[in-house]
Amino acid sequence: MLTSFFKALANLFKTPKTIDYPLTPIAKDEKYRGVIEYNQDECIYCLKCEKACPPGAILFVPVDNPPINEKNKKGLKYHYNPHLCIYCSECVRACPKPQEALWQSNKKGHIGIKDDKINDDWFELEELKK
Amino acid sequence: MKKTINIPIGSQHIALLEPVRFKFECENEKIVGVDSDVGFVHRGIEKACTTKFKYDAIGYVVARVCGLCAITHSMTYTASIEKLIGGEITQKAKYLRILLLELDRIHSHMLCLSHTCENAGFEAMFMRIMGDREDIMEIQELITGNRVQFDYISIGGVNRDIDAALAKKILSKLELVRQKVLGYMDEFTNNWSLSLKFKGVGILTLDDAYRFNAIGPLARASGVQADVRNEIDYLPYNEIGFKMQKHTEGDINARNLIRLNELLNSIEMCNNILEGLPEGEIFTKLRGKPNGESVVRFEAPRGELMYYVKANGSAMLERVRIKTPTFSSIPAFSHIFTGANYADAPAILASFDPCLSCTAK
Amino acid sequence: MFDFKPIRKKSPWILHYNAGSCNGCDIEILACLSPKYDIERFGVINTGNPKQSDVFLVTGPVTFRSRERLIELYTQMPEPKVVMAVGSCTCTGGVFRDMYNVENGLDRYIPVDVYVPGCASSPELIIDGLVKALEILESKTKEIEKPFKLFREASLDNTIVNRRNSALKVGEDTTDDEKN
């Protein structure tokens, strides 16, 4: 009983372990697994990343005004959903040009609110694919 | 007139992290019968492994069966596919796999110890252990990139490498954790009010452990000498200094001491690996498709895990069957609860360390 | 009358329910209450009581067996309340999309306000989501406390037939809302 009293008194003068999160930002390592980023000009539209993704978070869908690239023969556009992705980076390992067309950054996903309609829009894109 | 009352601990409760429903039949504070209901978490993974995913993506799906023993599931599946395809992986990849398996065991045992203390009423110990566990999570983030689900193992080796500067940082952090764990040993054995709650409560005798087929730390606390790490040969455990722990009483105090001793042994094994890491490649490309049947067993933090895989030469598998450790311990649970006081029920439940999402996959 | 307005936005109490997840996101919520990322300094307490909480944290793709308990907890929480979906599995189904015992995401079943991504989501993202949920809670509080006459401008004929019709319509609206 007396030892716990002395321990509590000693703890009063030590530095706290808490990091004051929203006010002091925490720096992330550069190899942290964050969102996937894409460069439209270098892509060769081989569709290997779409077949390699386990939950299906990358979709190439035919649209009306597609991006202009000489390899894009069927008029496809790249769509990515950070709320379906599991951040395993299988797509980066399957891509033939891994650091120029598709790479993994160390930023985190954005927080969605009700007006973004995350789930409803993705169901529409899956319908267009079939 | 009925003599007994039914009291439920339902699927939403503040002492449980997972949905499980127990109905206790009590007669004046002593529990007389138990009725358990698992199956709230059933998601249909085994069927989807044969229809929706190809054999090289299943390693990432199976890791999401459970968040605490994620890398053990992934490792056992990959070992069974490598047995079917044939081909060798390098020594360095084997040592890196063991390093992450032991780090996973350390953080899972610390979570279980702090949860047991919280259910017994000692909230200050819960905060202390969780604060020291953050050092281990930082080590895992530096090696693999994420704190809880590390997608580190793929067919043929591992995904990322460790260099010399990183190894030195990890060794210094592990030394800090080891000093704290020696402090907890002192606290768990000599504190008088904790011993009233833990000693002599929830006893499982040696005969009952053989009769009800108990596995894992539960069986080792009653005197059974069974550990899968002694019996396998595809990972080099006998070169790093693995020791099996044993106690004979079988109450909650013995289970806590077994987990603490396993923690110290795991820290020693990690130190040995980091100091003697060989040179070499981390990934070799294996060619061919799997064909035939194979069975692989491994030791998760809660007991023995077994996988059965059947393939026929194409990219889709025919059957995947998973047997998880908590599923085999359910008869032992129901036996220990009868005869105990009702107020001890949360502490006994937390000392079993149940992982319900493994049970109903 | 004692004024609750300045107190209500400053220390929300949370209610946590696991609707079939792998426990990864639940461990990260428990780590938020531990000394390194301490949300108890904002006044947040983890209670198990739906009648005393403001924010509802759900994890896991919603399995068919846990739907009944989810609806009971959601209707027992008093207004104003905020629903937060933590993890990729809860937002859209994650890896478990199109498996046979799973609904694809929480917003097929109850209305959701904040979506937090990640597998498993880190405590820093959960704290960011909680701060955004507090802003939404404040705007909902202001909407409820608007004066009654200004709010109901459209249906001003206060006759007996109109009051009976609007009472019948109120019953239909709530059952449709819960099944969405």
Side-chain angles (χ1 to χ4, degrees):
Chain A
M1 173 81 180
L2 209 54
T3 50
S4 64
F5 177 66
F6 285 129
K7 246 188 220 177
L9 211 56
N11 269 341
L12 202 57
F13 297 107
K14 289 191 196 163
T15 56
K17 253 188 191 175
T18 314
I19 300 186
D20 215 2
Y21 174 54
L23 303 177
T24 60
I26 300 185
K28 283 289 160 194
D29 200 34
E30 59 192 21
K31 289 204 205 158
Y32 182 73
R33 290 197 276 152
V35 288
I36 308 281
E37 298 193 339
Y38 170 75
N39 188 354
Q40 201 167 279
D41 304 321
E42 304 272 348
C43 179
I44 61 172
Y45 293 88
C46 61
L47 302 188
K48 275 190 186 167
C49 53
E50 184 181 347
K51 290 178 203 148
C53 175
I58 295 186
L59 280 182
F60 281 89
V61 172
V63 288
D64 294 332
N65 42 349
I68 307 191
N69 193 345
E70 69 253 6
K71 308 263 172 93
N72 187 2
K73 302 210 169 54
K74 301 183 191 164
L76 301 172
K77 187 165 190 268
Y78 165 92
H79 291 271
Y80 167 71
N81 191 352
H83 293 264
L84 237 185
C85 179
I86 60 177
Y87 305 94
C88 62
S89 67
E90 273 282 289
C91 50
V92 175
R93 283 192 279 271
C95 178
K97 296 209 237 176
Q99 296 301 323
E100 299 145 30
L102 199 67
W103 68 96
Q104 188 165 36
S105 63
N106 65 347
K107 303 192 204 108
K108 304 198 193 186
H110 68 279
I111 310 228
I113 53 177
K114 197 172 191 171
D115 295 331
D116 288 343
K117 285 195 192 286
I118 294 167
N119 218 357
D120 296 330
D121 285 348
W122 200 255
F123 272 113
E124 284 173 16
L125 282 178
E126 285 184 347
E127 288 294 313
L128 278 180
K129 180 91 187 164
K130 290 175 200 161
Chain B
M1 269 256 301
K2 251 172 64 162
K3 270 188 173 183
T4 58
I5 10 176
N6 281 346
I7 307 184
I9 289 191
S11 58
Q12 185 261 334
H13 193 90
I14 192 175
L16 305 171
L17 285 175
E18 315 171 22
V20 65
R21 180 189 293 163
F22 284 112
K23 281 191 189 155
F24 294 120
E25 255 185 69
C26 304
E27 179 180 340
N28 273 346
E29 296 263 346
K30 286 242 179 246
I31 299 180
V32 171
V34 176
D35 188 20
S36 64
D37 187 0
V38 304
F40 283 89
V41 197
H42 179 65
R43 289 155 289 186
I45 294 186
E46 291 182 357
K47 167 107 184 172
C49 283
T50 58
T51 54
K52 194 180 164 208
F53 298 106
K54 302 215 170 102
Y55 77 98
D56 45 3
I58 292 187
Y60 299 104
V61 174
V62 156
R64 267 105 183 136
V65 167
C66 175
L68 285 170
C69 31
I71 195 157
T72 317
H73 281 270
S74 176
M75 162 82 217
T76 321
Y77 171 75
T78 314
S80 65
I81 293 280
E82 281 170 0
K83 226 171 157 182
L84 287 181
I85 294 186
E88 285 289 314
I89 55 176
T90 62
Q91 257 325 68
K92 186 173 189 187
K94 285 187 188 172
Y95 281 126
L96 284 175
R97 283 179 178 183
I98 296 187
L99 176 69
L100 272 185
L101 282 164
E102 295 305 317
L103 279 175
D104 188 54
R105 193 181 309 263
I106 292 176
H107 103 249
S108 172
H109 279 323
M110 282 175 113
L111 184 79
C112 173
L113 283 170
S114 64
H115 201 54
T116 309
C117 284
E118 187 192 12
N119 281 350
F122 197 178
E123 198 171 323
M125 196 70 170
F126 165 67
M127 292 292 178
R128 254 171 71 183
I129 301 185
M130 292 294 274
D132 296 330
R133 183 177 164 255
E134 293 291 326
D135 285 330
I136 305 273
M137 308 302 267
E138 278 172 21
I139 296 177
Q140 287 170 345
E141 190 171 338
L142 286 173
I143 301 181
T144 65
N146 199 2
R147 284 164 50 119
V148 178
Q149 291 272 1
F150 359 105
D151 302 315
Y152 191 66
I153 295 183
S154 51
I155 299 179
V158 296
N159 287 341
R160 291 194 192 196
D161 204 355
I162 298 186
D163 52 357
L166 190 58
K168 233 200 272 182
K169 236 196 221 177
I170 296 178
L171 278 172
S172 62
K173 281 197 182 184
L174 276 178
E175 182 57 34
L176 281 177
V177 172
R178 201 178 81 92
Q179 296 298 328
K180 300 277 173 68
V181 173
L182 288 173
Y184 302 149
M185 283 283 272
D186 188 40
E187 189 80 36
F188 271 97
T189 46
N190 294 338
N191 197 339
W192 183 69
S193 57
L194 266 188
S195 70
L196 287 178
K197 299 231 172 175
F198 287 162
K199 288 191 181 162
V201 175
I203 296 186
L204 183 72
T205 59
L206 186 61
D207 290 334
D208 281 339
Y210 277 120
R211 192 158 70 109
F212 287 106
N213 213 354
I215 51 179
L218 195 64
R220 276 176 249 146
S222 304
V224 178
Q225 298 265 51
D227 194 332
V228 182
R229 290 178 280 176
N230 237 353
E231 304 163 13
I232 57 177
D233 58 348
Y234 46 86
L235 280 180
Y237 265 103
N238 47 1
E239 298 170 13
I240 338 176
F242 158 69
K243 282 196 278 275
M244 181 149 52
Q245 316 291 335
K246 179 183 165 191
H247 269 261
T248 46
E249 296 104 30
D251 54 0
I252 300 184
N253 192 28
R255 289 176 217 144
N256 287 344
L257 286 176
I258 287 237
R259 287 193 178 112
L260 280 168
N261 285 330
E262 279 190 5
L263 261 180
L264 288 172
N265 197 3
S266 292
I267 295 183
E268 204 182 294
M269 283 202 267
C270 290
N271 280 341
N272 287 347
I273 291 179
L274 283 170
E275 281 162 7
L277 200 61
E279 302 286 326
E281 295 272 323
I282 52 175
F283 187 76
T284 55
K285 189 150 176 68
L286 298 178
R287 300 201 177 270
K289 297 242 161 63
N291 201 352
E293 303 178 339
S294 77
V295 174
V296 170
R297 300 158 56 214
F298 198 68
E299 173 91 7
R302 285 155 182 83
E304 174 206 36
L305 176 71
M306 185 192 88
Y307 265 67
Y308 166 76
V309 169
K310 180 172 176 191
N312 59 2
S314 63
M316 294 282 197
L317 296 176
E318 258 189 44
R319 177 78 170 112
V320 175
R321 166 78 173 120
I322 311 175
K323 199 273 309 174
T324 50
T326 313
F327 188 66
S328 314
S329 316
I330 291 183
F333 277 31
S334 313
H335 179 74
I336 294 188
F337 274 130
T338 56
N341 278 331
Y342 178 70
D344 287 329
I348 297 180
L349 188 60
S351 84
F352 274 119
D353 207 3
C355 179
L356 266 313
S357 49
C358 277
T359 310
K361 50 205 157 333
Chain C
M1 245 306 260
F2 189 51
D3 198 9
F4 278 107
K5 260 197 284 182
I7 305 179
R8 207 190 258 143
K9 64 183 174 199
K10 291 211 172 136
S11 74
W13 284 12
I14 59 179
L15 172 71
H16 160 251
Y17 182 59
N18 176 337
S21 93
C22 74
N23 297 334
C25 296
D26 296 310
I27 300 174
E28 299 291 61
I29 292 181
L30 198 62
C32 271
L33 295 163
S34 72
K36 188 175 174 191
Y37 304 99
D38 199 359
I39 53 176
E40 292 202 347
R41 55 197 156 103
F42 301 136
V44 170
I45 302 184
N46 184 10
T47 64
N49 196 346
K51 296 265 184 206
Q52 291 174 356
S53 43
D54 299 302
V55 184
F56 192 25
L57 287 171
V58 188
T59 58
V62 180
T63 60
F64 284 2
R65 191 93 195 270
S66 60
R67 292 183 295 191
E68 182 191 328
R69 192 53 62 114
L70 194 72
I71 290 286
E72 278 187 28
L73 286 173
Y74 178 70
T75 51
Q76 283 180 12
M77 283 173 70
E79 290 279 342
K81 60 194 168 199
V82 181
V83 177
M84 203 161 119
V86 176
S88 286
C89 296
T90 321
C91 300
T92 53
V95 217
F96 306 114
R97 201 167 164 101
D98 297 329
M99 290 194 184
Y100 64 80
N101 212 18
V102 160
E103 305 251 2
N104 291 332
L106 187 62
D107 57 2
R108 304 284 104 193
Y109 213 62
I110 59 179
V112 176
D113 295 307
V114 179
Y115 299 87
V116 178
C119 186
S121 15
S122 60
E124 294 141 12
L125 272 175
I126 296 180
I127 296 183
D128 286 337
L130 202 68
V131 168
K132 199 153 210 161
L134 285 182
E135 294 168 14
I136 296 184
L137 187 66
E138 197 177 327
S139 69
K140 277 194 181 176
T141 312
K142 289 206 171 93
E143 224 177 86
I144 284 188
E145 292 174 356
K146 272 193 199 156
F148 192 77
K149 278 187 199 156
L150 273 178
F151 193 69
R152 295 275 206 116
E153 246 172 5
S155 62
L156 261 193
D157 351 337
N158 213 354
T159 59
I160 292 187
V161 173
N162 277 352
R163 268 188 277 156
R164 177 176 160 274
N165 283 346
S166 57
L168 285 177
K169 269 192 234 146
V170 162
E172 277 174 26
D173 269 356
T174 49
T175 50
D176 261 356
D177 214 18
E178 284 168 16
K179 288 230 182 89
N180 250 354

